[in-house]
Structures are given as structure tokens and as C-alpha cells.
Amino acid sequence: MQNPNGTILQLYHSGRLSAALHAFQSLPSSPAPAPLSAATYAALVAACSRLRSLCQGRLVHHHLIASPDAGLAGNTVLNNHLITMYGRCAAPDSARLVFDEMPAKNPVSWASVIAAHAQNRRSTDALVLFSSMLRAGTAPDQFALGSAVRACAELGDVVVGRQVHAQSMKSDTGSDLIVQNALVTMYSKSGFVGDGFSLFTRMREKDLISWGSIIAGFAQQGCEMEALQIFREMIAEGLHHPNQFHLGSVFRACGVLDSLEYGEQIHSLSVKYRLDCNSYAGCSLSDMYARCKKLESARKVFYGIDAPDLVSWNSIINACSVEGLLSEAMVLFSDMRDSGLRPDGITVRGLLCACAGCDALQPGRLIHSYLFKVGLDGDVSVCNSLLSMYARCMDFSSAMDVFHETRDRDVVTWNSILTACVLHQHLEVVFELFNLLQRSVPSLDGISLNNVLSASAELGYLEIVKQVHAYTFKVGLVNDTMLSNGLIDTYAKCGSLDDAAKHFEMMGTNCDVFSWSSLIVGYAQSGYARKALDLFARMRNLGIKPNHVTFVGVLTACSRVGFVDEGCYYYSIMEPEHGILPTREHCSCVIDLLARAGRLTEAAKFVDQMPFEPDIVMWKTLLAASKTHNDVEMGKRAAEGVLNIDPSHSAAYVLLCNIYAASGDWNEFARLKKAMRSSGVKKSPGKSWVKLKGELKVFIVEDRSHPESEEIYTMLDIVGMEMIKAGYVPKLPCQYTSFDHTNSDLSDEDMSMEYG
């Protein structure tokens, strides 16, 4: 190559960057490096910078150092180019080395090395360099100021950011668009979007970055309506066409607001500017449709993206998972791998979220195997999702295995296994793990404590509830509304309604609808119906909108005291006045309300008119009421309903037997008894427990295995005699005095059985 300088410069200026670098590499390296000019070296370094080619950049740098022209190695302009190249190639340490060895530095040198650190997430180092620049007496230009502000934004350090802002106001370049845009972004990202907007409105000149920064700032800080309003102003101004980043922000805002109509309008705008197929805008658009429950539209947008990246694939996989479409999510997962992309932790977490129920256990295990194969099993967030998946798929043993195998457990890991224990009724394990958790982390969060409260509510461990309550004061969680609601609910379930009410009143203005509902349900279930209804009236007077749990409490209260008409009224206003669609639970309450009052015909009519099939709880309610009111025909129908759902349900057989016995139909009684015997149905014995001095005491009907059984039965006899003295007359489960043996095949064994 006769004129390497001319050849390389010609290739560079014509945009053939790779060819220019190839020409450089073709130069002879011996006996001495070919002499190149400063302009040629600058072009080569710029080419490496634009191509992000660190390896070739280092070759050019070494060639420059070995150049026979000793003055080139100390050339300030060339060294500035080298610093910029190393920064763009993610090698800030090399950039700093070049900077430190420079014999002379100018403002561009400082700006380049600060930018090299800021753009590679070395924000603290960038600010230290900026401070050194000021101490050296070098006035920062707009690039140095912009990089320093971006470093503050990365760190979320508004205090230092305001200091840099003040410095920019003293500088001649502080009003430059680069600095102003960086400041708007910094304030918006750091949660001071109002300050960012104030600065934005004072800017004399705005470009696409200015508009994009404030739109993204509002969208990211939960001010979606403001983001859409500013986007509308930008379009109305007509000076700038939106790019993929503007559209990405407004699509996300529409998704959060569930504003499908406005989202579709912006979709049309994206088609106009041919940005709907862009991976960034298209991903946000697909996500917007998924959030608005338009999954088919989300699919169409996704498949229209020119080259979907990992984020786009993760978005559509997660959209399918949220809707419970596991099979489709798995197909997309397979297609993603076939496209050459490597799934990350977000991908598999999305898939695992779709796995729920026993049917999803096998796909969940396949995903687990894949995690081992690609090395994602060490990611604690993935392990947490895996643990939760096994819990949802009813495989508690595997969930525990994942917990024990997770090395770097975080608080989410502990909360996940505690939740799994509560879900699978391993309640004593909750307390064992909770004790370990207290020794493993400096402080507990509200979710951990709520799991302990759930287990305590199930077991009636009031003392532990009080300990948790005291702990909330100790660690400053007393104002945590979710935890306070859990305390109200648990106190009520443990029968300590006074404590529940005290805590409710102590919450004051922090009470939300869940606080009110918890106490209303607590009063209702404990038989304090009037208190529950008075509290509901107080809630309505304060303008607090009830939810579906509130009405469960209200209907339960009406049922307990026989306020049938009031209960039916409250049920009738749920949807028209409060927009709450009745659920199975509400319908069960109405059936119980009517059945307790003996209005079994109305209860049966209500069952027939429900918008869904009656469940086993509804049939059992009718069956129990049929026994109480001696309605044989209704009892038969209700028992059939129970047994159609669960043929081995012993309580249905027992209650129906009692109905036949009470009505004197001993033939049917005997037939049903034989049916129970032939099908192997046995009545499960009743059980209760209490915790005394840290030890769980369990009592089972007719059980003699307890070490203190003699003392227990002696005490029962004493209590029974005291009850009789007080005027209580026990109700016998079956009366046999008028029974005629001659027309029945009932055996003596059947006669000796008691049901109740």
C-alpha cells in the first residue's frame, strides 16, 4: 500500500469503517510500523469507537505508541479520541489510564473521561472526576455537565444533582440543550418530576430528547395522565414527530390506565410513522394490549415486529402466563429458543408464574430441568419463582427442597416458603421457619409477619399474635396498613374482638376498606351481628365504598340473628349501588340466611336461580337446615347434591340418617346405613386443640390414647353435670322409643350408633 494515509482516510470518509480498519491491519509490521499521520490515527480510533471494536481499538493504540513520530503519543486531540473510544467500548479503566498519562489536558479531555465513566455505570467515579475538574480550575463544558448530571440520575442523588445544576447556572454552557435535557431526566428519574417539568416549561428550545425525557419521567413516576397530556401537546405543536421512545412511554401509560381507546389511537399514529414494527415501540404496544385484556391484539402486534428482541419475547410470554395460557407460553418459549435467543431469568419467571394446579406440575418440572441445563438455578429470583410454582402445584415437598437448595436466600425466599407452609396447612412449620428467619435477617417485613398471623389465626395462638403486634412497634411497622389489617383479622379469628376493635380504632385515618371489612366479618362470625351492622352503617356514612368481603360480613351478620329481609335487601343492592357482582360466597350467605330462618323453599328457589352451579357448601347448608326443620324431601335433595360432588362425604350420610331417624323412616335409615358400610364411608371424628406452655394439646372424640385421658373424661362428666344443673337439656341425635322392629332390617349394631 503506497499511500496508507490516503487509502485509510478515503475509506473512513466514505463510511467504509470496517474496510478502513482492514487496510490498517494489512500494513506491514516489520521492520518498523508504517508511519501514519495524526489525522489517520484519529480516523482509525473514531472507526473503532463507532463500531464498538475494543480489540481493534487496542491495536490502533499500540501502533500509535510505537509510532516513530514520538509527538503523536502525547497529542492531546488523539488522546481525547482514545478516551472516547475506550468509553464507548465499555473500558473505562483504559480510558482513565490514557487520561492520567496525558501530559496536557483540556476541557474536552475532562469531559471525555467523565463521560467514559458515566456511560458505563461508574457514576461515583464520574462525579469524583467532575469534582477534580472543578478543583483544577477547568471550566466544565456542556458535555462534562451533562455527564455529571446523568451520573447523579443513575445514583438517584438529587442533592449532588442540584449542586451540579447550580454549577451549570454559573457556566456559559449551562443553558445548552444537552445539559437541560440531562437535568430534566435526572429530576424525573429521582422522583422529582415536578421540578423536571418546571425546568422543561422554562426551556426556550426543546428537541425530541426534551419531550421524551419529561414524558418518560411522568410515565415512570405514576403520573400516566400527565404523560399522555404532554404527548398530546407535542403532537399538537407539530414541530417534532414522535420516535419509538415516546411511543413506548405512552403505550405503557395507556396500559397502566387501562385506556384501550386512547392506546388504539396512538397505535394508528405509530403505523403512520412506521414505528409499529419497531422492537421497542412494538414491545410496549403489545404489552399495552395485554394489560387491557386484548391478548389477540397483543399477539398480532408481536408477530408484526421486524426482529423481536429478548424483551419483546419476554413481554408476550408473560402476557400469556398472566392469562393462565401455559401451553401457549411454552410454545412461545420454544419458538424463542429456535430464533437463536437465549432465555434469561425474566423469561423463566414468567413461565413459572403460569404454572398453577396439579396439571401444571409436569411442565413446571420441565422448566426446572431447563434451569439446571442453562445455569439459571443459581439466580435467587428464579429460585423464588420455582419455590412458589411447586407450592401452587401442590408439591410441598419439592418446594421445601428448592428452599433448602437455594444458597443466597433473600427475604422473598423466606416469605415464599412461609406462604407455602400456610397454603399447605403445615402451620407448625411456619413457626419453626420463622424462628430461623429471625436469626437470618436483621429485620422482618410485613409479608413475613402476615404469614405468621395467618398460621396463628388457624391455630388460635393468641399469644403469638400479641408478640407479633409488639414486634411491629419495635421495628416501626405499626403504620403498615396491610399488616394492621392482618392483626385485626387475626385477633378476630382468635376470638379477641376487643383487641381487634382497639387496633382498628388506633389506625384512625389509615383504615381502608380491608380494615373495616376485617372487623365487620370478625363481629359477624363471632355472633355480634348488631355490632357488625352498626359498623357497616358507620362505614357507609363516612363514604367508604364497601367491597365483596364487606358484604360477606354483612350477610353473615344478618344470617346469625335472623334479619332475613335486611339480608335480602343488602344482597339486592350489591350490584346496582356498589357495582359488586355476587360471588358464590355471597350466595352461600343468602342460602344460609333463608335456611336458618326455615324458609327452605325460598332457599331452594334461590339455588335454582343462581348464575352458577351450587357447590358443596351450599348443599351442606341446605342439608343441615333440613335436619333442623325436619324437611325430609329437601334433605334428600341436598344430600344428593353433596354426594354428587363428593360421594365419600360422611357428613351428608350422617345428616340424612338423622333426618330419616327424626321423621321415623327407619327403613330408609337402615338402607342408608348399609350403603355407608358397603361404600366404606366412615364418619371422621371431631378434633380440637389448644396450645399450653408452648405444647400443642390435641383432643379427638372418643379417644383414649391421650396420657391424661382419665382426667379429661372425669372433667367432661363434671362439666356435663354442671350443664344439666344449669337447666341445659341435651338433644339426643336419634329417638328410638316409638320404633317398631318388626318392619325393619336394622341391626342391633345400627341401633347402638349415634349420629350428630
Side-chain angles (χ1 to χ4, degrees), residues 195-217:
D195 291 341
F197 183 63
S198 178
L199 183 61
F200 173 81
T201 56
R202 295 197 304 270
M203 290 170 64
R204 292 190 298 271
E205 180 188 357
K206 301 180 181 73
D207 62 5
L208 278 173
I209 296 174
S210 314
W211 288 99
S213 297
I214 195 63
I215 291 170

PDB file of all heavy atoms in Angstrom, residues 195-217:
ATOM      1  N   ASP A 195     -40.150  19.166  39.591  1.00  0.00           N
ATOM      2  CA  ASP A 195     -39.007  20.039  39.308  1.00  0.00           C
ATOM      3  C   ASP A 195     -38.568  19.893  37.855  1.00  0.00           C
ATOM      4  O   ASP A 195     -38.208  20.874  37.194  1.00  0.00           O
ATOM      5  CB  ASP A 195     -37.843  19.705  40.235  1.00  0.00           C
ATOM      6  CG  ASP A 195     -38.125  20.095  41.684  1.00  0.00           C
ATOM      7  OD1 ASP A 195     -39.025  20.927  41.902  1.00  0.00           O
ATOM      8  OD2 ASP A 195     -37.455  19.570  42.576  1.00  0.00           O
ATOM      9  N   GLY A 196     -38.607  18.637  37.380  1.00  0.00           N
ATOM     10  CA  GLY A 196     -38.234  18.400  35.983  1.00  0.00           C
ATOM     11  C   GLY A 196     -39.176  19.102  35.025  1.00  0.00           C
ATOM     12  O   GLY A 196     -38.746  19.703  34.031  1.00  0.00           O
ATOM     13  N   PHE A 197     -40.479  19.057  35.355  1.00  0.00           N
ATOM     14  CA  PHE A 197     -41.463  19.702  34.489  1.00  0.00           C
ATOM     15  C   PHE A 197     -41.327  21.223  34.526  1.00  0.00           C
ATOM     16  O   PHE A 197     -41.464  21.900  33.504  1.00  0.00           O
ATOM     17  CB  PHE A 197     -42.878  19.297  34.913  1.00  0.00           C
ATOM     18  CG  PHE A 197     -43.952  19.860  34.042  1.00  0.00           C
ATOM     19  CD1 PHE A 197     -44.035  19.515  32.702  1.00  0.00           C
ATOM     20  CD2 PHE A 197     -44.873  20.762  34.556  1.00  0.00           C
ATOM     21  CE1 PHE A 197     -45.027  20.041  31.888  1.00  0.00           C
ATOM     22  CE2 PHE A 197     -45.866  21.293  33.755  1.00  0.00           C
ATOM     23  CZ  PHE A 197     -45.940  20.933  32.409  1.00  0.00           C
ATOM     24  N   SER A 198     -41.031  21.757  35.713  1.00  0.00           N
ATOM     25  CA  SER A 198     -40.827  23.205  35.838  1.00  0.00           C
ATOM     26  C   SER A 198     -39.658  23.659  34.963  1.00  0.00           C
ATOM     27  O   SER A 198     -39.743  24.688  34.271  1.00  0.00           O
ATOM     28  CB  SER A 198     -40.572  23.556  37.309  1.00  0.00           C
ATOM     29  OG  SER A 198     -40.319  24.936  37.454  1.00  0.00           O
ATOM     30  N   LEU A 199     -38.581  22.879  34.976  1.00  0.00           N
ATOM     31  CA  LEU A 199     -37.421  23.191  34.136  1.00  0.00           C
ATOM     32  C   LEU A 199     -37.774  23.056  32.659  1.00  0.00           C
ATOM     33  O   LEU A 199     -37.393  23.883  31.825  1.00  0.00           O
ATOM     34  CB  LEU A 199     -36.269  22.252  34.509  1.00  0.00           C
ATOM     35  CG  LEU A 199     -34.928  22.463  33.802  1.00  0.00           C
ATOM     36  CD1 LEU A 199     -34.369  23.841  34.100  1.00  0.00           C
ATOM     37  CD2 LEU A 199     -33.936  21.385  34.227  1.00  0.00           C
ATOM     38  N   PHE A 200     -38.544  22.009  32.338  1.00  0.00           N
ATOM     39  CA  PHE A 200     -38.954  21.756  30.954  1.00  0.00           C
ATOM     40  C   PHE A 200     -39.761  22.933  30.398  1.00  0.00           C
ATOM     41  O   PHE A 200     -39.556  23.374  29.260  1.00  0.00           O
ATOM     42  CB  PHE A 200     -39.777  20.467  30.906  1.00  0.00           C
ATOM     43  CG  PHE A 200     -40.409  20.173  29.573  1.00  0.00           C
ATOM     44  CD1 PHE A 200     -39.684  19.600  28.549  1.00  0.00           C
ATOM     45  CD2 PHE A 200     -41.751  20.482  29.348  1.00  0.00           C
ATOM     46  CE1 PHE A 200     -40.272  19.322  27.324  1.00  0.00           C
ATOM     47  CE2 PHE A 200     -42.342  20.217  28.129  1.00  0.00           C
ATOM     48  CZ  PHE A 200     -41.603  19.629  27.115  1.00  0.00           C
ATOM     49  N   THR A 201     -40.677  23.475  31.198  1.00  0.00           N
ATOM     50  CA  THR A 201     -41.531  24.571  30.713  1.00  0.00           C
ATOM     51  C   THR A 201     -40.730  25.857  30.491  1.00  0.00           C
ATOM     52  O   THR A 201     -41.153  26.715  29.700  1.00  0.00           O
ATOM     53  CB  THR A 201     -42.668  24.851  31.715  1.00  0.00           C
ATOM     54  OG1 THR A 201     -42.115  25.124  33.005  1.00  0.00           O
ATOM     55  CG2 THR A 201     -43.608  23.660  31.813  1.00  0.00           C
ATOM     56  N   ARG A 202     -39.576  26.009  31.195  1.00  0.00           N
ATOM     57  CA  ARG A 202     -38.767  27.214  31.039  1.00  0.00           C
ATOM     58  C   ARG A 202     -37.751  27.125  29.901  1.00  0.00           C
ATOM     59  O   ARG A 202     -37.093  28.104  29.581  1.00  0.00           O
ATOM     60  CB  ARG A 202     -38.018  27.518  32.347  1.00  0.00           C
ATOM     61  CG  ARG A 202     -38.930  27.872  33.511  1.00  0.00           C
ATOM     62  CD  ARG A 202     -38.143  28.551  34.627  1.00  0.00           C
ATOM     63  NE  ARG A 202     -37.017  27.738  35.081  1.00  0.00           N
ATOM     64  CZ  ARG A 202     -37.085  26.854  36.061  1.00  0.00           C
ATOM     65  NH1 ARG A 202     -38.240  26.646  36.692  1.00  0.00           N
ATOM     66  NH2 ARG A 202     -36.020  26.183  36.437  1.00  0.00           N
ATOM     67  N   MET A 203     -37.626  25.919  29.313  1.00  0.00           N
ATOM     68  CA  MET A 203     -36.644  25.747  28.234  1.00  0.00           C
ATOM     69  C   MET A 203     -37.079  26.518  26.990  1.00  0.00           C
ATOM     70  O   MET A 203     -38.211  26.361  26.514  1.00  0.00           O
ATOM     71  CB  MET A 203     -36.474  24.259  27.905  1.00  0.00           C
ATOM     72  CG  MET A 203     -35.762  23.466  28.996  1.00  0.00           C
ATOM     73  SD  MET A 203     -35.816  21.668  28.714  1.00  0.00           S
ATOM     74  CE  MET A 203     -34.888  21.527  27.189  1.00  0.00           C
ATOM     75  N   ARG A 204     -36.186  27.361  26.479  1.00  0.00           N
ATOM     76  CA  ARG A 204     -36.520  28.144  25.284  1.00  0.00           C
ATOM     77  C   ARG A 204     -36.582  27.256  24.044  1.00  0.00           C
ATOM     78  O   ARG A 204     -37.352  27.509  23.122  1.00  0.00           O
ATOM     79  CB  ARG A 204     -35.469  29.250  25.078  1.00  0.00           C
ATOM     80  CG  ARG A 204     -35.510  30.339  26.143  1.00  0.00           C
ATOM     81  CD  ARG A 204     -34.629  31.514  25.751  1.00  0.00           C
ATOM     82  NE  ARG A 204     -33.237  31.121  25.627  1.00  0.00           N
ATOM     83  CZ  ARG A 204     -32.373  31.134  26.641  1.00  0.00           C
ATOM     84  NH1 ARG A 204     -32.773  31.501  27.854  1.00  0.00           N
ATOM     85  NH2 ARG A 204     -31.118  30.790  26.458  1.00  0.00           N
ATOM     86  N   GLU A 205     -35.764  26.229  24.028  1.00  0.00           N
ATOM     87  CA  GLU A 205     -35.703  25.328  22.877  1.00  0.00           C
ATOM     88  C   GLU A 205     -35.892  23.901  23.369  1.00  0.00           C
ATOM     89  O   GLU A 205     -35.345  23.506  24.399  1.00  0.00           O
ATOM     90  CB  GLU A 205     -34.337  25.472  22.185  1.00  0.00           C
ATOM     91  CG  GLU A 205     -34.161  24.581  20.972  1.00  0.00           C
ATOM     92  CD  GLU A 205     -32.735  24.625  20.440  1.00  0.00           C
ATOM     93  OE1 GLU A 205     -31.915  25.398  20.980  1.00  0.00           O
ATOM     94  OE2 GLU A 205     -32.447  23.872  19.506  1.00  0.00           O
ATOM     95  N   LYS A 206     -36.683  23.139  22.654  1.00  0.00           N
ATOM     96  CA  LYS A 206     -36.926  21.746  23.025  1.00  0.00           C
ATOM     97  C   LYS A 206     -36.708  20.870  21.802  1.00  0.00           C
ATOM     98  O   LYS A 206     -37.119  21.227  20.695  1.00  0.00           O
ATOM     99  CB  LYS A 206     -38.355  21.546  23.543  1.00  0.00           C
ATOM    100  CG  LYS A 206     -38.720  22.371  24.764  1.00  0.00           C
ATOM    101  CD  LYS A 206     -40.157  22.092  25.193  1.00  0.00           C
ATOM    102  CE  LYS A 206     -40.558  22.920  26.399  1.00  0.00           C
ATOM    103  NZ  LYS A 206     -40.768  24.345  26.067  1.00  0.00           N
ATOM    104  N   ASP A 207     -36.088  19.713  22.009  1.00  0.00           N
ATOM    105  CA  ASP A 207     -35.941  18.753  20.922  1.00  0.00           C
ATOM    106  C   ASP A 207     -36.662  17.459  21.311  1.00  0.00           C
ATOM    107  O   ASP A 207     -37.353  17.390  22.339  1.00  0.00           O
ATOM    108  CB  ASP A 207     -34.462  18.516  20.585  1.00  0.00           C
ATOM    109  CG  ASP A 207     -33.686  17.928  21.756  1.00  0.00           C
ATOM    110  OD1 ASP A 207     -34.309  17.620  22.798  1.00  0.00           O
ATOM    111  OD2 ASP A 207     -32.451  17.777  21.636  1.00  0.00           O
ATOM    112  N   LEU A 208     -36.491  16.425  20.506  1.00  0.00           N
ATOM    113  CA  LEU A 208     -37.161  15.158  20.778  1.00  0.00           C
ATOM    114  C   LEU A 208     -36.751  14.578  22.133  1.00  0.00           C
ATOM    115  O   LEU A 208     -37.574  13.976  22.837  1.00  0.00           O
ATOM    116  CB  LEU A 208     -36.837  14.153  19.665  1.00  0.00           C
ATOM    117  CG  LEU A 208     -37.669  14.267  18.385  1.00  0.00           C
ATOM    118  CD1 LEU A 208     -37.122  13.338  17.314  1.00  0.00           C
ATOM    119  CD2 LEU A 208     -39.133  13.944  18.662  1.00  0.00           C
ATOM    120  N   ILE A 209     -35.469  14.775  22.498  1.00  0.00           N
ATOM    121  CA  ILE A 209     -34.998  14.240  23.778  1.00  0.00           C
ATOM    122  C   ILE A 209     -35.686  14.962  24.926  1.00  0.00           C
ATOM    123  O   ILE A 209     -36.049  14.344  25.937  1.00  0.00           O
ATOM    124  CB  ILE A 209     -33.464  14.372  23.875  1.00  0.00           C
ATOM    125  CG1 ILE A 209     -32.796  13.509  22.803  1.00  0.00           C
ATOM    126  CG2 ILE A 209     -32.972  13.965  25.260  1.00  0.00           C
ATOM    127  CD1 ILE A 209     -31.297  13.674  22.719  1.00  0.00           C
ATOM    128  N   SER A 210     -35.893  16.277  24.790  1.00  0.00           N
ATOM    129  CA  SER A 210     -36.575  17.047  25.844  1.00  0.00           C
ATOM    130  C   SER A 210     -37.977  16.492  26.082  1.00  0.00           C
ATOM    131  O   SER A 210     -38.372  16.208  27.227  1.00  0.00           O
ATOM    132  CB  SER A 210     -36.669  18.523  25.445  1.00  0.00           C
ATOM    133  OG  SER A 210     -35.458  19.017  24.942  1.00  0.00           O
ATOM    134  N   TRP A 211     -38.735  16.361  24.999  1.00  0.00           N
ATOM    135  CA  TRP A 211     -40.101  15.839  25.120  1.00  0.00           C
ATOM    136  C   TRP A 211     -40.092  14.408  25.655  1.00  0.00           C
ATOM    137  O   TRP A 211     -40.876  14.052  26.543  1.00  0.00           O
ATOM    138  CB  TRP A 211     -40.798  15.877  23.753  1.00  0.00           C
ATOM    139  CG  TRP A 211     -41.157  17.254  23.296  1.00  0.00           C
ATOM    140  CD1 TRP A 211     -40.473  18.031  22.416  1.00  0.00           C
ATOM    141  CD2 TRP A 211     -42.294  18.025  23.694  1.00  0.00           C
ATOM    142  NE1 TRP A 211     -41.097  19.241  22.234  1.00  0.00           N
ATOM    143  CE2 TRP A 211     -42.225  19.267  23.005  1.00  0.00           C
ATOM    144  CE3 TRP A 211     -43.362  17.810  24.553  1.00  0.00           C
ATOM    145  CZ2 TRP A 211     -43.182  20.265  23.151  1.00  0.00           C
ATOM    146  CZ3 TRP A 211     -44.322  18.802  24.703  1.00  0.00           C
ATOM    147  CH2 TRP A 211     -44.222  20.012  24.012  1.00  0.00           C
ATOM    148  N   GLY A 212     -39.191  13.590  25.121  1.00  0.00           N
ATOM    149  CA  GLY A 212     -39.130  12.194  25.558  1.00  0.00           C
ATOM    150  C   GLY A 212     -38.780  12.057  27.024  1.00  0.00           C
ATOM    151  O   GLY A 212     -39.317  11.187  27.728  1.00  0.00           O
ATOM    152  N   SER A 213     -37.878  12.927  27.519  1.00  0.00           N
ATOM    153  CA  SER A 213     -37.448  12.848  28.922  1.00  0.00           C
ATOM    154  C   SER A 213     -38.600  13.133  29.873  1.00  0.00           C
ATOM    155  O   SER A 213     -38.805  12.415  30.861  1.00  0.00           O
ATOM    156  CB  SER A 213     -36.311  13.837  29.178  1.00  0.00           C
ATOM    157  OG  SER A 213     -35.178  13.524  28.401  1.00  0.00           O
ATOM    158  N   ILE A 214     -39.378  14.185  29.593  1.00  0.00           N
ATOM    159  CA  ILE A 214     -40.450  14.539  30.520  1.00  0.00           C
ATOM    160  C   ILE A 214     -41.631  13.575  30.395  1.00  0.00           C
ATOM    161  O   ILE A 214     -42.282  13.231  31.394  1.00  0.00           O
ATOM    162  CB  ILE A 214     -40.901  16.013  30.313  1.00  0.00           C
ATOM    163  CG1 ILE A 214     -41.739  16.484  31.509  1.00  0.00           C
ATOM    164  CG2 ILE A 214     -41.643  16.204  29.007  1.00  0.00           C
ATOM    165  CD1 ILE A 214     -40.987  16.492  32.826  1.00  0.00           C
ATOM    166  N   ILE A 215     -41.903  13.090  29.195  1.00  0.00           N
ATOM    167  CA  ILE A 215     -42.982  12.102  29.021  1.00  0.00           C
ATOM    168  C   ILE A 215     -42.638  10.819  29.775  1.00  0.00           C
ATOM    169  O   ILE A 215     -43.457  10.269  30.524  1.00  0.00           O
ATOM    170  CB  ILE A 215     -43.224  11.812  27.525  1.00  0.00           C
ATOM    171  CG1 ILE A 215     -43.846  13.039  26.842  1.00  0.00           C
ATOM    172  CG2 ILE A 215     -44.132  10.600  27.348  1.00  0.00           C
ATOM    173  CD1 ILE A 215     -43.888  12.942  25.328  1.00  0.00           C
ATOM    174  N   ALA A 216     -41.393  10.344  29.587  1.00  0.00           N
ATOM    175  CA  ALA A 216     -40.956   9.126  30.288  1.00  0.00           C
ATOM    176  C   ALA A 216     -40.944   9.347  31.796  1.00  0.00           C
ATOM    177  O   ALA A 216     -41.315   8.452  32.567  1.00  0.00           O
ATOM    178  CB  ALA A 216     -39.566   8.718  29.804  1.00  0.00           C
ATOM    179  N   GLY A 217     -40.525  10.556  32.221  1.00  0.00           N
ATOM    180  CA  GLY A 217     -40.492  10.844  33.650  1.00  0.00           C
ATOM    181  C   GLY A 217     -41.854  10.741  34.288  1.00  0.00           C
ATOM    182  O   GLY A 217     -42.019  10.092  35.334  1.00  0.00           O
TER     183      GLY A 217
END
